[in-house]
Amino acid sequence: MAISLYNTLTRKKEILTTIEPNKVRMYVCGPTVYNKAHIGHAMSALVFDVIRRYLEFRGYEVQMAMNFTDVDDKIIKRAEELNVDPFELAEGYIEDYKKNLEDLNILPATYNPRATQEIDQIIRMIEGLIEKGLAYPLEGDVYFRVRMAPDYGKLSGRNLDDMRVGVRKEADDRKEDPLDFALWKAAKEGEPSWESPWGKGRPGWHIECSAMNFHIFGDSIDIHGGGNDLIFPHHENEIAQSESFTGKPFARYWVHNGMLQLRGEKMSKSIGNIISIDEFLTLHSADSFRYLILNSSYRNPIIFSTEAIESAEKGLDRLRSALKPAAVSATGASVQITAALNDQMEKTESEFIAAMDDDFNSAGALGTLFELVRVINFARDSGASADQLGSAQMLMKKLTGVFGLTLESAAANKSDTAEPFIDLLVSLRQEMRKQKNWALADQIRDDLAALKVVIEDTREGSSWHWA
RNA sequence: GGCGACGUGGCCAAGUGGAUAAGGCAUGGGUCUGCAAAACCCUGAACAUCGGUUCAAAUCCGAUCGUCGCCUCCA
């Protein structure tokens, strides 16, 4: 079995073959750090986290880079508004973002390059492009000659002459062609800048990704990822620059996630319909967001809503239910039951892999996980012992781990120090139940429920967990 | 105007030529329980519309309607 993935470049699913056997070089476009990150950014980071985890599960060594664009017009503008140093502003948001990713259980990238740390490489690349006649300096700026790149438009399926140039953005008529884009921007007074052969300035947006890729990975990478809003112009321009510079194919597979929507529109800072990652995490668990994404297909838009997250939390509860221990008095389940458990384990593992191999079909894979949940719970109800449930529960943990789910309780206010006291209350309540003091027993249950502590009574006694 | 993705039960969603059309959430009935909760069992309900190709279409082709993204900074 092989992994297939949808390649934006060819608009079809292709079998994954890598430059070096068993190694994947993957680059994902990270954020421009001029503000707090929102859950749309989180979706993209999460999608590629799951892809990365799955590739590792399938035996690949994954080298992953995610960049920070830490110098650009918006950072400069915002720093001016706040009257702070633009580098410090960017640094602060980078730290915030790394914290966000950690909170979301997103594995750190192997490399986190930044535009400002690649200036030398960027300048060398621009010089190379000028030498080849593919770029030209203009009053301290440098532009890329789009029409000189032979297959410009191949990623986004665009024909240069069909595009409405200057409709929304005023055309700059100094440029040879309105579609030419900036590789280097001359600095205005007081702006952050670096010395270059064309005077003081800073890199254009697209070149940093090409330079960082070249620096870290060389001419070619296996997978280049990002949101589908980056296909044009950003990724198109990256291809043009990189392939013009090296003469080699840039990325073998282009993978793009769909947009997270809120109130019928793409979540975006400029539209203003955003929920920051911090805000989200004060109200909901990281797992619930991950579940929401996993239960959809990464290439399609996902509608964010409170209802969707609540439904996700319930789905997670159900996944967690499979991990509950065997009954204390369990005497062991019949051969038929354990055989069914073994069959389902095999079925779930193979269906999980088949689904994920097919362009990371996480929703399909999740479906087969729920079938295992049902069989595990049935076995437990039928008296299966801890031993008999053990390997199936291990499989659950293994596969949900590939998804990056923690399956930890969602309660935000859970506290380790309270646990002995809760245990005490629960055992006192047991005494009351023995004495058939239902009123008081029920009151304790209700009051604890209000504190997000859920009591469950079984034949063997009561257990509790955080809501 | 150009390019692209998509439309499956009440909601989310898998499935891309032949299946009983997964799964989750919600709903209804039952088992269990002091009552709950949890779990288990049973249950109803879906392929946007219209044509076409085919022995056979949710799946392929065309048209129509609708939704979203990109063509401007964007994950």
Side-chain angles (χ1 to χ4, degrees), chain A residues 167-345:
Chain A
V167 166
R168 296 211 227 165
K169 190 186 185 182
E170 218 170 292
D172 178 351
D173 46 11
R174 299 174 310 150
K175 292 193 283 186
E176 290 177 9
D177 188 290
L179 286 161
D180 290 349
F181 59 88
L183 297 169
W184 188 260
K185 292 179 168 185
K188 295 192 196 94
E189 194 51 42
E191 286 183 352
S193 65
W194 290 262
E195 291 293 347
S196 82
W198 317 285
K200 286 192 167 204
R202 63 191 145 89
W205 175 36
H206 315 295
I207 192 69
E208 56 170 272
C209 288
S210 291
M212 291 184 255
N213 262 295
F214 185 76
H215 187 181
I216 296 170
F217 294 124
D219 294 339
S220 300
I221 58 171
D222 294 300
I223 298 176
H224 192 124
N228 68 13
D229 54 348
L230 298 179
I231 294 171
F232 190 90
H234 184 54
H235 288 164
E236 195 71 71
N237 292 351
E238 277 187 52
I239 291 175
Q241 295 159 351
S242 290
E243 298 192 350
S244 299
F245 181 74
T246 64
K248 307 245 174 64
F250 180 33
R252 296 162 72 90
Y253 306 94
W254 287 85
V255 178
H256 293 100
N257 64 276
M259 294 292 104
L260 190 69
Q261 296 184 9
L262 185 66
R263 294 189 284 272
E265 276 180 304
K266 165 187 168 184
M267 183 171 293
S268 145
K269 288 173 194 169
S270 47
I271 297 169
N273 58 339
I274 59 171
I275 297 173
S276 74
I277 296 171
D278 288 337
E279 248 177 288
F280 177 85
L281 288 173
T282 59
L283 297 170
H284 312 285
S285 67
D287 267 0
S288 68
F289 188 71
R290 195 173 275 265
Y291 182 102
L292 179 73
I293 306 300
L294 288 168
N295 192 34
S296 313
S297 49
Y298 74 91
R299 287 194 279 132
N300 292 341
I302 296 178
I303 297 168
F304 180 87
S305 69
T306 307
E307 295 73 45
I309 285 296
E310 281 168 3
S311 169
E313 295 277 15
K314 299 233 174 83
L316 286 166
D317 275 341
R318 183 158 171 76
L319 289 178
R320 283 184 208 111
S321 73
L323 299 181
K324 288 182 184 171
V328 180
S329 63
T331 51
S334 67
V335 206
Q336 286 91 333
I337 299 284
T338 54
L341 200 52
N342 286 330
D343 286 352
Q344 187 60 50
M345 280 171 62

Side-chain angles (χ1 to χ4, degrees), chain A residues 20-80:
Chain A
E20 268 186 79
N22 302 317
K23 273 193 182 177
V24 175
R25 294 172 200 163
M26 175 153 88
Y27 182 96
V28 179
C29 282
T32 301
V33 281
Y34 72 101
N35 214 327
K36 282 171 96 164
H38 59 71
I39 54 178
H41 299 112
M43 170 179 172
S44 186
L46 207 151
V47 162
F48 291 99
D49 182 58
V50 172
I51 290 176
R52 182 247 189 106
R53 286 171 187 265
Y54 185 68
L55 292 173
E56 287 179 347
F57 170 71
R58 293 290 267 131
Y60 287 93
E61 180 195 323
V62 180
Q63 297 253 300
M64 183 165 173
M66 192 207 69
N67 72 298
F68 290 110
T69 300
D70 59 349
V71 58
D72 102 322
D73 292 350
K74 279 183 295 194
I75 295 173
I76 294 168
K77 183 163 170 264
R78 183 130 170 90
E80 273 172 16

